[in-house]
Amino acid sequence: MVAIALAGAFGMAPAHSAPAAEQVLNIYSARHYPTDEALYADFSKATGIQIKRVDSDDAGILTRLKAEGAASAADVILLVDAARLWRAEVGGLFLPIKSNKLEAAIPPTLRAKPSDGGGTAWFGLSTRARVVVYDKRKLAAADVDAYEKLAAPELKGKLCIRSGSHPYNLSLFGAMTEHLGPAATEVWLKGLVNNLARSPMGGDTDQIKGVASGECQVAVTNTYYLARLMRSTQADDVATMRHVGVVFPNQNSWGTHVNVAGGAVARYAKNKDNAVKFLEYLASPSAQNHFANGNNEWPVAKGVAFDNPALKAMTGAGFKSELLPISAVGMNQIKVQQMLDRVGMK
Ligand code: FE
């Protein structure tokens, strides 16, 4: 069942009784995926800890946490992008923690660098790849099988992409900065601007639809949006995917860009033990399996079995992902935003 409680409902125990201290956990979540409800319900069932959730987008959550300061009710914060996680970390919104379970389950490249005290400020919990889709009627996979090719003059007027300032793109461009260096990345970004079929607008799904409708021939999207369309039986989604091909770029070089959704204990958590317990639960095989089957993301924990037909159809035997520390990608975002301003990418 859905267990959403608004802030105004907090602390309303009946006055006439003094029940044992209720076990609660306050989550501020930017995960915008209805399939996650099952995760929260399973945790409450297993632990007796009642979850109260505030849902917003990443920017809204960060703004709220800053405004609330030490009075914040947040125990756990869930965000969906490396750039945002980094921003929250340097903004002091997280409480670094030590957890053997989390450290054993989650590779070091997918979590924050250890803090001065040896704790970890945030942990990646699932991954998503940022891939290229193209119109199979007009282009071949080989035309668009590397991010660098998206800036090729042959693709002039053919590219659709959401706003360059969106965290998903800030992270992709931040990764490119690591691979190519800042100067070459800025030239590449200028090439993307030259190739735009339309001014950046909408979300990733809108870019896929742009390819399907013929407005553009190539676009960039996170894999879970694509998988959602691939698994849909609705006629319009089936029609959308009919002529759309998928490429995992840079398989012959550094690998496809992979981003994380992650979690952290809030700086002023009042239920810290419960918060750690919840993050550990999200790294457990059953929760990790849920990220894969429910929301079409890849588990971060090693050896988690899952059976997602769309992910399998997309990757076949698997794919090569870039090996950058995701924290380094997040750190580049200010540099990237300045480049975007210079090349005139919205
Ligand atoms: Fe998303």
Side-chain angles (χ1 to χ4, degrees):
M1 268 309 290
V2 182
I4 299 174
L6 298 176
F10 287 1
M12 288 175 65
H16 60 272
S17 66
E22 193 184 34
Q23 286 286 308
V24 295
L25 178 70
N26 294 301
I27 300 177
Y28 285 18
S29 173
R31 289 186 59 83
H32 50 98
Y33 319 114
T35 50
D36 282 357
E37 297 296 345
L39 278 179
Y40 304 122
D42 282 356
F43 176 74
S44 291
K45 203 170 153 194
T47 61
I49 297 169
Q50 194 198 341
I51 289 178
K52 298 178 177 181
R53 217 168 76 232
V54 170
D55 291 316
S56 182
D57 63 7
D58 300 71
I61 285 176
L62 301 192
T63 304
R64 179 166 176 159
L65 285 167
K66 278 182 199 147
E68 291 175 339
S72 177
D75 296 312
V76 161
I77 301 162
L78 300 177
L79 299 173
V80 294
D81 173 79
R84 293 285 197 211
L85 286 162
W86 178 82
R87 199 174 290 184
E89 180 187 354
V90 299
L93 300 179
F94 296 157
L95 182 70
I97 57 162
K98 288 180 188 171
S99 158
N100 292 337
K101 278 187 192 166
L102 287 167
E103 280 163 35
I106 300 168
T109 49
L110 296 175
R111 46 176 144 107
K113 278 191 207 156
S115 65
D116 292 342
T120 303
W122 54 265
F123 293 87
L125 297 167
S126 58
T127 64
R128 54 280 294 283
R130 199 139 181 76
V131 299
V132 169
V133 288
Y134 66 99
D135 186 338
K136 289 190 282 189
R137 294 163 293 193
K138 293 168 186 155
L139 294 174
D143 297 329
V144 291
D145 62 1
Y147 296 112
E148 301 95 300
K149 292 186 181 180
L150 300 181
E154 300 80 55
L155 295 180
K156 189 166 179 61
K158 296 176 181 173
L159 173 69
C160 278
I161 191 164
R162 77 192 302 166
S163 167
S165 301
H166 188 278
Y168 299 158
N169 280 336
L170 289 179
S171 291
L172 170 62
F173 303 159
M176 289 299 280
T177 306
E178 291 294 305
H179 296 302
L180 297 174
T185 300
E186 189 161 337
V187 171
W188 176 71
L189 288 170
K190 184 79 203 151
L192 296 193
V193 172
N194 289 339
N195 285 349
L196 288 176
R198 63 185 184 196
S199 189
M201 62 172 83
D204 285 354
T205 303
D206 298 304
Q207 316 314 316
I208 304 169
K209 288 181 175 169
V211 170
S213 73
E215 191 173 1
C216 29
Q217 296 182 17
V218 58
V220 177
T221 179
N222 280 357
T223 36
Y224 57 92
Y225 295 108
L226 200 51
R228 210 180 282 165
L229 288 171
M230 289 167 76
R231 292 175 80 180
S232 172
T233 52
Q234 285 183 40
D236 52 340
D237 293 338
V238 174
T240 293
M241 290 310 298
R242 187 166 302 135
H243 302 295
V244 172
V246 184
V247 168
F248 280 63
N250 296 72
Q251 293 302 288
N252 296 321
S253 58
W254 57 71
T256 298
H257 172 62
V258 168
N259 204 332
V260 292
V265 176
R267 174 84 176 81
Y268 299 106
K270 315 290 187 289
N271 303 291
K272 190 192 153 195
D273 291 349
N274 291 352
V276 173
K277 212 180 275 183
F278 182 69
L279 292 180
E280 289 175 349
Y281 159 74
L282 292 181
S284 70
S286 71
Q288 288 285 299
N289 181 284
H290 177 84
F291 285 131
N293 290 333
N295 193 46
N296 305 305
E297 297 174 90
W298 283 280
V300 291
K302 280 157 262 170
V304 173
F306 64 95
D307 186 25
N308 180 313
L311 293 183
K312 262 189 194 146
M314 263 192 264
T315 64
F319 71 98
K320 179 180 176 183
S321 61
E322 66 185 5
L323 290 173
L324 297 173
I326 199 72
S327 53
V329 169
M331 273 179 233
N332 280 337
Q333 67 180 294
I334 293 167
K335 200 185 289 176
V336 168
Q337 185 58 58
Q338 289 165 345
M339 290 188 223
L340 293 174
D341 293 343
R342 284 194 294 268
V343 302
M345 188 171 195
K346 279 214 269 181

